[in-house]
Protein backbone atom coordinates (compact mmCIF):
# COMPACT_ATOMS: atom_id res chain seq x y z
CA UNK A 1 0.00 0.00 0.00
CA UNK A 2 1.35 3.43 -0.96
CA UNK A 3 1.91 6.04 1.73
CA UNK A 4 0.51 9.51 1.21
CA UNK A 5 2.40 12.48 2.60
CA UNK A 6 -0.03 14.88 4.25
CA UNK A 7 0.77 18.53 4.81
CA UNK A 8 -1.41 20.10 7.50
CA UNK A 9 -2.27 23.80 7.47
CA UNK A 10 -3.30 24.90 10.96
CA UNK A 11 -1.94 24.30 14.42
CA UNK A 12 -4.93 24.66 16.70
CA UNK A 13 -7.43 22.45 18.48
CA UNK A 14 -8.86 20.90 15.33
CA UNK A 15 -5.45 19.99 13.86
CA UNK A 16 -4.57 18.22 17.12
CA UNK A 17 -7.84 16.29 16.95
CA UNK A 18 -7.04 15.21 13.40
CA UNK A 19 -3.63 13.94 14.54
CA UNK A 20 -5.38 11.75 17.10
CA UNK A 21 -7.42 10.33 14.24
CA UNK A 22 -4.37 9.75 12.02
CA UNK A 23 -2.84 7.57 14.74
CA UNK A 24 -5.56 5.07 13.80
CA UNK A 25 -5.18 5.29 10.01
CA UNK A 26 -2.81 3.42 7.69
CA UNK A 27 -1.27 4.70 4.50
CA UNK A 28 -0.49 8.26 5.60
CA UNK A 29 2.35 10.18 7.19
CA UNK A 30 2.41 13.78 8.36
CA UNK A 31 5.24 15.19 6.29
CA UNK A 32 4.61 18.91 6.71
CA UNK A 33 3.09 21.51 9.00
CA UNK A 34 2.26 25.19 8.49
CA UNK A 35 0.58 27.47 11.01
CA UNK A 36 0.25 31.17 11.80
CA UNK A 37 2.31 30.46 14.90
CA UNK A 38 5.19 27.93 14.56
CA UNK A 39 3.52 24.59 15.46
CA UNK A 40 6.41 23.27 17.52
CA UNK A 41 4.18 21.35 19.96
CA UNK A 42 2.30 19.63 17.15
CA UNK A 43 5.54 18.78 15.35
CA UNK A 44 6.85 17.18 18.53
CA UNK A 45 3.60 15.21 18.90
CA UNK A 46 3.88 13.98 15.30
CA UNK A 47 7.39 12.69 15.89
CA UNK A 48 6.61 11.18 19.29
CA UNK A 49 3.68 9.24 17.83
CA UNK A 50 5.79 8.24 14.80
CA UNK A 51 3.26 9.80 12.45
CA UNK A 52 5.92 11.24 10.17
CA UNK A 53 8.67 13.81 9.90
CA UNK A 54 6.41 16.68 10.91
CA UNK A 55 8.64 19.22 9.19
CA UNK A 56 7.64 22.84 9.80
CA UNK A 57 7.47 24.98 6.65
CA UNK A 58 7.36 28.75 6.44
CA UNK A 59 4.51 28.83 3.91
CA UNK A 60 1.83 26.69 2.33
CA UNK A 61 3.32 27.41 -1.09
CA UNK A 62 6.67 25.93 -0.01
CA UNK A 63 5.14 22.91 1.73
CA UNK A 64 3.03 21.99 -1.30
CA UNK A 65 6.20 20.96 -3.16
CA UNK A 66 7.08 18.40 -0.47
CA UNK A 67 3.75 16.65 0.20
CA UNK A 68 1.11 14.73 -1.74
CA UNK A 69 -1.94 16.21 -0.01
CA UNK A 70 -2.56 19.61 1.56
CA UNK A 71 -5.19 19.51 4.33
CA UNK A 72 -6.64 22.90 5.25
CA UNK A 73 -7.48 23.01 8.97
CA UNK A 74 -6.78 26.72 9.36
CA UNK A 75 -9.25 29.41 10.51
CA UNK A 76 -12.08 30.32 8.14
CA UNK A 77 -10.81 33.85 7.43
CA UNK A 78 -7.48 32.51 6.12
CA UNK A 79 -8.78 29.98 3.60
CA UNK A 80 -9.01 32.07 0.45
CA UNK A 81 -5.37 33.13 0.86
CA UNK A 82 -4.30 29.55 1.59
CA UNK A 83 -6.01 28.30 -1.56
CA UNK A 84 -4.22 30.99 -3.55
CA UNK A 85 -0.87 29.77 -2.18
CA UNK A 86 -1.75 26.21 -3.18
CA UNK A 87 -2.66 27.40 -6.68
CA UNK A 88 0.65 29.26 -6.94
CA UNK A 89 2.51 26.09 -5.94
CA UNK A 90 0.63 24.10 -8.60
CA UNK A 91 1.52 26.74 -11.16
CA UNK A 92 5.15 26.36 -10.05
CA UNK A 93 4.97 22.61 -10.72
CA UNK A 94 3.91 21.08 -7.39
CA UNK A 95 2.48 17.57 -7.88
CA UNK A 96 -0.39 17.41 -5.42
CA UNK A 97 -2.76 14.43 -5.46
CA UNK A 98 -5.54 16.13 -3.50
CA UNK A 99 -6.50 19.15 -1.43
CA UNK A 100 -8.68 18.65 1.65
CA UNK A 101 -10.69 21.39 3.33
CA UNK A 102 -12.55 20.94 6.59
CA UNK A 103 -15.99 22.41 7.21
CA UNK A 104 -17.19 25.03 6.59
CA UNK A 105 -15.69 25.33 3.14
CA UNK A 106 -15.92 29.12 3.32
CA UNK A 107 -17.58 31.98 5.19
CA UNK A 108 -19.96 32.73 2.32
CA UNK A 109 -20.74 31.70 -1.25
CA UNK A 110 -18.54 34.39 -2.74
CA UNK A 111 -15.49 32.90 -1.02
CA UNK A 112 -16.56 29.31 -1.76
CA UNK A 113 -16.88 30.11 -5.47
CA UNK A 114 -13.51 31.84 -5.44
CA UNK A 115 -11.78 28.85 -3.82
CA UNK A 116 -13.28 26.33 -6.23
CA UNK A 117 -12.57 28.48 -9.28
CA UNK A 118 -8.92 28.93 -8.22
CA UNK A 119 -8.12 25.22 -7.86
CA UNK A 120 -10.54 23.33 -10.08
CA UNK A 121 -8.68 24.11 -13.36
CA UNK A 122 -5.69 22.08 -12.10
CA UNK A 123 -7.76 18.87 -11.98
CA UNK A 124 -6.64 18.05 -8.43
CA UNK A 125 -9.35 16.27 -6.38
CA UNK A 126 -10.92 18.70 -3.90
CA UNK A 127 -12.12 16.74 -0.88
CA UNK A 128 -14.51 18.22 1.67
CA UNK A 129 -14.37 17.04 5.29
CA UNK A 130 -17.60 16.91 7.26
CA UNK A 131 -16.98 14.38 10.01
CA UNK A 132 -20.55 13.63 11.07
CA UNK A 133 -21.36 11.94 7.76
CA UNK A 134 -18.55 9.50 8.56
CA UNK A 135 -19.66 8.67 12.10
CA UNK A 136 -19.96 4.92 12.49
CA UNK A 137 -23.37 5.32 14.12
CA UNK A 138 -24.63 7.30 11.11
CA UNK A 139 -23.31 4.76 8.62
CA UNK A 140 -24.63 1.85 10.68
CA UNK A 141 -28.10 3.41 10.82
CA UNK A 142 -28.17 3.74 7.03
CA UNK A 143 -26.91 0.18 6.51
CA UNK A 144 -29.28 -1.36 9.04
CA UNK A 145 -32.33 0.46 7.69
CA UNK A 146 -31.58 0.17 3.97
CA UNK A 147 -33.80 -2.89 3.39
CA UNK A 148 -36.61 -1.20 5.34
CA UNK A 149 -36.22 2.01 3.34
CA UNK A 150 -36.47 0.12 0.05
CA UNK A 151 -39.77 -1.37 1.19
CA UNK A 152 -41.33 1.46 3.20
CA UNK A 153 -39.67 4.48 1.63
CA UNK A 154 -36.78 6.71 2.81
CA UNK A 155 -36.68 8.77 5.99
CA UNK A 156 -39.17 11.62 6.12
CA UNK A 157 -37.64 13.62 8.97
CA UNK A 158 -34.15 13.85 10.43
CA UNK A 159 -33.48 15.94 13.52
CA UNK A 160 -29.81 16.79 14.02
CA UNK A 161 -28.33 18.69 16.94
CA UNK A 162 -24.85 19.65 18.10
CA UNK A 163 -24.27 21.66 21.24
CA UNK A 164 -21.50 22.61 23.64
CA UNK A 165 -20.62 25.54 25.91
CA UNK A 166 -18.59 27.53 23.38
CA UNK A 167 -15.42 27.51 21.24
CA UNK A 168 -11.81 27.48 22.46
CA UNK A 169 -10.32 30.27 20.34
CA UNK A 170 -11.00 33.99 20.13
CA UNK A 171 -11.43 34.02 16.34
CA UNK A 172 -14.32 31.56 16.60
CA UNK A 173 -16.26 34.11 18.64
CA UNK A 174 -15.55 36.96 16.20
CA UNK A 175 -18.25 36.82 13.49
CA UNK A 176 -16.20 38.86 11.04
CA UNK A 177 -13.39 36.29 11.17
CA UNK A 178 -15.37 33.11 11.65
CA UNK A 179 -18.17 34.05 9.26
CA UNK A 180 -20.99 34.21 11.79
CA UNK A 181 -21.82 32.45 15.02
CA UNK A 182 -22.94 28.96 15.92
CA UNK A 183 -24.89 28.55 12.67
CA UNK A 184 -21.71 28.84 10.62
CA UNK A 185 -19.65 26.88 13.14
CA UNK A 186 -21.95 23.93 13.79
CA UNK A 187 -25.11 24.42 11.75
CA UNK A 188 -23.19 23.13 8.73
CA UNK A 189 -22.67 19.81 10.58
CA UNK A 190 -26.35 19.29 11.29
CA UNK A 191 -27.57 20.38 7.85
CA UNK A 192 -25.05 18.18 6.02
CA UNK A 193 -25.61 15.02 8.05
CA UNK A 194 -29.39 15.37 7.83
CA UNK A 195 -29.19 15.80 4.04
CA UNK A 196 -27.07 12.63 3.88
CA UNK A 197 -29.43 10.59 6.05
CA UNK A 198 -32.53 11.69 4.14
CA UNK A 199 -30.97 10.66 0.82
CA UNK A 200 -32.62 7.45 -0.48
CA UNK A 201 -30.39 4.33 -0.68
CA UNK A 202 -28.50 4.10 -3.95
CA UNK A 203 -28.79 7.81 -4.71
CA UNK A 204 -25.79 10.17 -4.73
CA UNK A 205 -25.23 12.77 -2.07
CA UNK A 206 -27.00 15.92 -3.21
CA UNK A 207 -29.73 13.97 -5.03
CA UNK A 208 -32.43 15.58 -2.88
CA UNK A 209 -33.10 19.15 -3.93
CA UNK A 210 -33.28 21.85 -1.23
CA UNK A 211 -36.61 23.68 -1.55
CA UNK A 212 -36.62 26.10 1.36
CA UNK A 213 -34.91 27.10 4.61
CA UNK A 214 -36.64 28.60 7.61
CA UNK A 215 -34.49 29.52 10.60
CA UNK A 216 -34.38 31.45 13.84
CA UNK A 217 -31.02 32.67 15.15
CA UNK A 218 -30.62 34.18 18.58
CA UNK A 219 -28.11 35.47 21.11
CA UNK A 220 -29.24 34.07 24.44
CA UNK A 221 -26.58 33.16 27.00
CA UNK A 222 -23.58 35.10 25.64
CA UNK A 223 -25.61 38.28 25.14
CA UNK A 224 -26.21 38.71 28.85
CA UNK A 225 -23.98 41.34 30.50
CA UNK A 226 -22.09 38.99 32.82
CA UNK A 227 -21.30 36.56 30.00
CA UNK A 228 -20.38 39.33 27.56
CA UNK A 229 -17.86 40.50 30.12
CA UNK A 230 -16.41 37.01 30.41
CA UNK A 231 -15.93 36.84 26.62
CA UNK A 232 -14.19 40.20 26.67
CA UNK A 233 -11.90 39.15 29.51
CA UNK A 234 -11.04 35.69 28.15
CA UNK A 235 -10.85 36.35 24.42
CA UNK A 236 -10.89 40.11 23.88
CA UNK A 237 -14.17 39.80 21.94
CA UNK A 238 -16.76 42.49 22.67
CA UNK A 239 -20.33 41.29 22.05
CA UNK A 240 -21.70 44.73 22.86
CA UNK A 241 -20.19 45.80 19.51
CA UNK A 242 -20.03 42.71 17.23
CA UNK A 243 -22.33 40.00 18.64
CA UNK A 244 -22.95 36.64 16.99
CA UNK A 245 -25.62 33.98 17.29
CA UNK A 246 -25.13 31.39 20.06
CA UNK A 247 -28.36 29.49 19.27
CA UNK A 248 -29.85 28.51 15.92
CA UNK A 249 -32.72 26.28 14.96
CA UNK A 250 -34.73 25.71 11.82
CA UNK A 251 -35.97 23.50 9.01
CA UNK A 252 -34.61 22.65 5.59
CA UNK A 253 -37.17 21.17 3.19
CA UNK A 254 -35.94 18.82 0.46
CA UNK A 255 -37.74 17.45 -2.60
CA UNK A 256 -37.17 14.09 -4.25
CA UNK A 257 -36.93 14.97 -7.98
CA UNK A 258 -38.18 11.52 -9.02
CA UNK A 259 -41.19 11.16 -6.72
CA UNK A 260 -41.88 14.81 -5.81
CA UNK A 261 -42.05 13.70 -2.14
CA UNK A 262 -40.88 16.25 0.46
CA UNK A 263 -38.69 15.50 3.48
CA UNK A 264 -37.49 17.70 6.32
CA UNK A 265 -34.22 18.30 8.15
CA UNK A 266 -34.59 19.98 11.54
CA UNK A 267 -31.42 21.44 13.04
CA UNK A 268 -30.61 22.83 16.47
CA UNK A 269 -27.15 24.06 17.43
CA UNK A 270 -25.89 26.12 20.34
CA UNK A 271 -22.91 27.43 22.27
CA UNK A 272 -24.84 27.38 25.53
CA UNK A 273 -24.99 23.69 26.46
CA UNK A 274 -23.63 23.77 30.00
CA UNK A 275 -23.80 20.06 30.76
CA UNK A 276 -21.28 17.24 30.43
CA UNK A 277 -19.61 18.50 27.24
CA UNK A 278 -20.08 18.26 23.49
CA UNK A 279 -23.30 16.48 22.52
CA UNK A 280 -24.25 15.30 19.05
CA UNK A 281 -27.81 13.99 18.95
CA UNK A 282 -29.50 12.71 15.79
CA UNK A 283 -32.74 10.87 15.19
CA UNK A 284 -34.65 9.93 12.09
CA UNK A 285 -38.28 9.04 11.45
CA UNK A 286 -39.55 7.05 8.50
CA UNK A 287 -42.85 5.33 7.69
CA UNK A 288 -42.97 2.52 10.26
CA UNK A 289 -39.37 2.85 11.54
CA UNK A 290 -36.98 5.16 13.36
CA UNK A 291 -33.49 5.49 14.82
CA UNK A 292 -31.74 7.75 17.32
CA UNK A 293 -28.38 8.18 18.97
CA UNK A 294 -26.66 10.50 21.43
CA UNK A 295 -22.88 10.79 21.78
CA UNK A 296 -23.18 11.34 25.53
CA UNK A 297 -24.34 7.76 25.92
CA UNK A 298 -20.99 6.16 26.58
CA UNK A 299 -20.01 2.60 27.52
CA UNK A 300 -17.85 4.17 30.23
CA UNK A 301 -18.92 6.37 33.14
CA UNK A 302 -16.66 7.70 35.88
CA UNK A 303 -17.65 9.14 39.25
CA UNK A 304 -15.44 11.69 41.02
CA UNK A 305 -16.46 12.90 44.47
CA UNK A 306 -15.74 16.30 45.97
CA UNK A 307 -12.83 15.02 48.04
CA UNK A 308 -11.09 13.70 44.91
CA UNK A 309 -11.96 16.45 42.46
CA UNK A 310 -8.76 18.43 43.03
CA UNK A 311 -6.79 15.52 41.54
CA UNK A 312 -8.47 15.88 38.12
CA UNK A 313 -5.97 17.70 35.92
CA UNK A 314 -7.66 17.82 32.53
CA UNK A 315 -11.40 17.35 32.18
CA UNK A 316 -11.20 17.39 28.38
CA UNK A 317 -9.12 14.23 28.39
CA UNK A 318 -12.46 12.52 29.00
CA UNK A 319 -14.73 14.46 26.66
CA UNK A 320 -14.43 17.45 24.33
CA UNK A 321 -15.79 20.66 25.93
CA UNK A 322 -16.15 18.84 29.29
CA UNK A 323 -17.84 21.19 31.79
CA UNK A 324 -17.18 19.44 35.11
CA UNK A 325 -14.48 17.62 37.04
CA UNK A 326 -16.67 15.91 39.59
CA UNK A 327 -19.88 13.94 39.86
CA UNK A 328 -20.93 11.34 37.29
CA UNK A 329 -18.80 12.03 34.21
CA UNK A 330 -19.28 10.77 30.68
CA UNK A 331 -16.05 9.41 29.22
CA UNK A 332 -15.63 8.67 25.53
CA UNK A 333 -12.56 6.44 25.16
CA UNK A 334 -12.02 7.29 21.48
CA UNK A 335 -13.58 10.60 20.46
CA UNK A 336 -11.65 10.85 17.19
CA UNK A 337 -13.32 7.64 16.04
CA UNK A 338 -16.71 8.39 17.61
CA UNK A 339 -17.11 11.68 15.76
CA UNK A 340 -16.03 10.26 12.38
CA UNK A 341 -12.56 11.80 12.04
CA UNK A 342 -10.91 8.40 11.58
CA UNK A 343 -13.33 7.29 8.89
CA UNK A 344 -13.21 10.56 6.94
CA UNK A 345 -9.43 10.17 6.65
CA UNK A 346 -9.79 6.55 5.57
CA UNK A 347 -12.32 7.58 2.93
CA UNK A 348 -10.02 10.32 1.61
CA UNK A 349 -6.95 8.07 1.49
CA UNK A 350 -8.79 5.28 -0.30
CA UNK A 351 -10.29 7.76 -2.76
CA UNK A 352 -6.89 9.26 -3.59
CA UNK A 353 -5.14 5.89 -3.95
CA UNK A 354 -7.87 4.24 -6.03
CA UNK A 355 -9.04 7.22 -8.05
CA UNK A 356 -12.66 6.97 -6.93
CA UNK A 357 -14.49 10.09 -5.71
CA UNK A 358 -14.44 10.82 -1.99
CA UNK A 359 -17.81 10.93 -0.24
CA UNK A 360 -17.85 14.73 -0.40
CA UNK A 361 -16.17 17.28 -2.64
CA UNK A 362 -15.97 21.08 -2.51
CA UNK A 363 -19.11 21.44 -4.60
CA UNK A 364 -21.10 19.70 -1.86
CA UNK A 365 -19.33 21.91 0.68
CA UNK A 366 -20.45 24.90 -1.35
CA UNK A 367 -24.07 23.71 -1.22
CA UNK A 368 -23.84 23.41 2.57
CA UNK A 369 -22.55 26.98 2.70
CA UNK A 370 -25.57 28.00 0.62
CA UNK A 371 -27.93 26.41 3.16
CA UNK A 372 -26.23 28.13 6.10
CA UNK A 373 -26.39 31.46 4.26
CA UNK A 374 -30.09 30.83 3.61
CA UNK A 375 -30.55 30.24 7.35
CA UNK A 376 -29.00 33.63 8.15
CA UNK A 377 -31.12 35.31 5.48
CA UNK A 378 -34.28 33.62 6.79
CA UNK A 379 -33.57 34.84 10.31
CA UNK A 380 -32.90 38.39 9.09
CA UNK A 381 -36.10 38.48 7.00
CA UNK A 382 -38.14 36.52 9.55
CA UNK A 383 -39.47 34.41 6.69
CA UNK A 384 -38.73 31.19 4.85
CA UNK A 385 -36.18 31.45 2.03
CA UNK A 386 -37.44 29.94 -1.22
CA UNK A 387 -34.57 28.10 -2.90
CA UNK A 388 -36.66 27.39 -6.00
CA UNK A 389 -36.80 31.11 -6.78
CA UNK A 390 -33.97 32.01 -9.23
CA UNK A 391 -33.77 35.60 -7.94
CA UNK A 392 -33.28 34.39 -4.35
CA UNK A 393 -30.60 31.91 -5.38
CA UNK A 394 -28.79 34.65 -7.32
CA UNK A 395 -29.03 37.00 -4.31
CA UNK A 396 -27.41 34.39 -2.06
CA UNK A 397 -24.34 34.26 -4.34
CA UNK A 398 -23.17 37.64 -3.03
CA UNK A 399 -25.04 37.76 0.28
CA UNK A 400 -23.03 38.52 3.42
CA UNK A 401 -25.09 38.12 6.62
CA UNK A 402 -25.33 41.18 8.85
CA UNK A 403 -23.79 39.16 11.69
CA UNK A 404 -20.83 38.26 9.47
CA UNK A 405 -20.43 41.94 8.60
CA UNK A 406 -20.11 42.77 12.30
CA UNK A 407 -23.60 44.33 12.35
CA UNK A 408 -25.19 41.72 14.62
CA UNK A 409 -26.68 44.38 16.90
CA UNK A 410 -29.19 45.09 14.12
CA UNK A 411 -30.67 41.59 14.27
CA UNK A 412 -29.76 40.18 17.70
CA UNK A 413 -31.24 41.18 21.07
CA UNK A 414 -28.85 42.51 23.72
CA UNK A 415 -30.30 43.30 27.15
Amino acid sequence: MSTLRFGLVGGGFYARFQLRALEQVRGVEVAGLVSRRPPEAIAQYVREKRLGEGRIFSSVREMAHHVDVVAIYAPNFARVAIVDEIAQALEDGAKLRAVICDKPLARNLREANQMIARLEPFGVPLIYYENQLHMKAVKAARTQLEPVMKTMGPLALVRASEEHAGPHSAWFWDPTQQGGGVMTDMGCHSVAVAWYLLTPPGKPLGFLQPVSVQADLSLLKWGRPEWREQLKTRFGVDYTKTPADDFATGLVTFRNPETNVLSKAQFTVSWMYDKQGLRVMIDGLGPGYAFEFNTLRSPLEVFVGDVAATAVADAEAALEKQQATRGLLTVQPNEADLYGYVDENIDAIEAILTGRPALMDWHFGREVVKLTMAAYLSSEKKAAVDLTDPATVEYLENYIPLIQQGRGREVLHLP
Side-chain angles (χ1 to χ4, degrees):
M1 183 179 182
S2 301
T3 299
L4 292 172
R5 298 169 299 163
F6 270 37
L8 275 55
V9 185
F13 175 82
Y14 181 78
R16 293 192 296 272
F17 223 112
Q18 282 289 352
L19 290 177
R20 289 167 58 185
L22 289 176
E23 292 180 54
Q24 304 169 60
V25 177
R26 294 180 297 173
V28 62
E29 65 173 286
V30 180
L33 299 166
V34 174
S35 180
R36 291 177 297 160
R37 293 177 292 274
E40 300 289 353
I42 286 185
Q44 182 178 349
Y45 182 91
V46 167
R47 292 190 285 268
E48 287 176 352
K49 297 296 182 179
R50 298 188 294 278
L51 291 174
E53 181 183 358
R55 178 182 170 188
I56 297 175
F57 290 89
S58 60
S59 71
V60 176
R61 185 174 182 176
E62 179 190 7
M63 183 179 70
H65 289 275
H66 300 273
V67 298
D68 302 308
V69 178
V70 174
I72 303 171
Y73 303 147
N76 304 352
F77 62 83
R79 295 189 174 186
V80 171
I82 289 167
V83 164
D84 190 57
E85 282 197 68
I86 294 169
Q88 291 174 31
L90 290 167
E91 290 166 347
D92 293 340
K95 305 297 183 183
L96 291 176
R97 300 181 66 178
V99 179
I100 294 167
C101 187
D102 178 56
K103 70 84 200 172
L105 180 65
R107 293 180 293 184
N108 50 63
L109 280 172
R110 189 186 301 170
E111 290 185 354
N113 292 334
Q114 186 177 345
M115 291 166 63
I116 293 171
R118 190 70 174 98
L119 289 185
E120 201 165 46
F122 296 100
V124 176
L126 304 176
I127 299 174
Y128 178 60
Y129 268 12
E130 169 44 75
N131 58 282
Q132 288 190 14
L133 277 70
H134 292 280
M135 292 176 71
K136 285 183 170 62
V138 168
K139 294 189 293 184
R142 281 181 59 88
T143 300
Q144 185 72 24
L145 290 172
E146 185 170 337
V148 181
M149 292 181 185
K150 288 180 177 178
T151 301
M152 303 298 295
L155 289 161
L157 171 67
V158 170
R159 295 178 288 206
S161 171
E162 182 175 9
E163 300 181 273
H164 58 59
H168 285 290
S169 302
W171 72 266
F172 261 109
W173 294 94
D174 182 347
T176 65
Q177 295 190 71
Q178 196 255 108
V182 72
M183 185 67 216
T184 310
D185 178 30
M186 299 200 298
C188 56
H189 281 305
S190 298
V191 167
V193 74
W195 195 350
Y196 175 60
L197 284 164
L198 288 168
T199 302
K203 298 299 183 182
L205 187 59
F207 166 76
L208 294 177
Q209 299 172 347
V211 173
S212 65
V213 177
Q214 186 166 8
D216 178 67
L217 279 60
S218 303
L219 179 57
L220 300 176
K221 171 184 171 180
W222 296 100
R224 298 183 179 185
E226 64 272 27
W227 294 101
R228 292 201 308 260
E229 189 61 33
Q230 185 183 125
L231 276 185
K232 193 172 181 180
T233 301
R234 289 176 61 196
F235 298 113
V237 176
D238 190 349
Y239 266 22
T240 62
K241 297 179 180 178
T242 56
D245 44 296
D246 64 4
F247 175 80
T249 189
L251 286 169
V252 182
T253 301
F254 296 94
R255 185 181 72 87
N256 185 316
E258 294 178 350
T259 64
N260 205 35
V261 171
L262 299 181
S263 55
K264 300 275 186 178
Q266 182 180 15
F267 60 86
T268 298
V269 290
S270 84
W271 286 341
M272 47 184 294
Y273 186 73
D274 286 312
K275 291 188 70 178
Q276 296 98 315
L278 172 67
R279 181 184 69 176
V280 176
M281 191 161 58
I282 305 173
D283 72 341
L285 304 177
Y289 65 92
F291 79 89
E292 65 179 70
F293 80 95
N294 181 340
T295 57
L296 290 184
R297 294 175 184 163
S298 172
L300 174 62
E301 291 182 339
V302 170
F303 178 80
V304 180
D306 288 351
V307 69
T310 56
V312 179
D314 182 7
E316 282 203 287
L319 181 72
E320 182 185 343
K321 307 296 192 300
Q322 181 78 274
Q323 293 295 296
T325 57
R326 66 187 71 191
L328 190 61
L329 307 179
T330 299
V331 179
Q332 288 293 357
N334 190 344
E335 283 190 289
D337 183 59
L338 171 70
Y339 300 141
Y341 296 111
V342 172
D343 289 70
E344 72 180 354
N345 280 289
I346 292 173
D347 175 67
I349 291 165
E350 290 180 349
I352 296 165
L353 293 178
T354 64
R356 68 161 174 81
L359 177 61
M360 291 167 284
D361 63 14
W362 286 18
H363 286 282
F364 179 73
R366 178 195 180 282
E367 294 306 303
V368 174
V369 172
K370 181 192 287 186
L371 295 180
T372 59
M373 291 299 99
Y376 277 100
L377 181 59
S378 171
S379 186
E380 286 182 11
K381 303 297 185 184
K382 301 187 185 306
V385 171
D386 182 2
L387 295 176
T388 67
D389 174 39
T392 299
V393 173
E394 182 179 359
Y395 179 77
L396 285 170
E397 291 294 318
N398 291 295
Y399 165 68
I400 310 295
L402 291 172
I403 292 173
Q404 187 176 141
Q405 295 178 44
R407 297 165 57 191
R409 287 184 62 94
E410 298 177 32
V411 290
L412 297 170
H413 174 73
L414 274 80

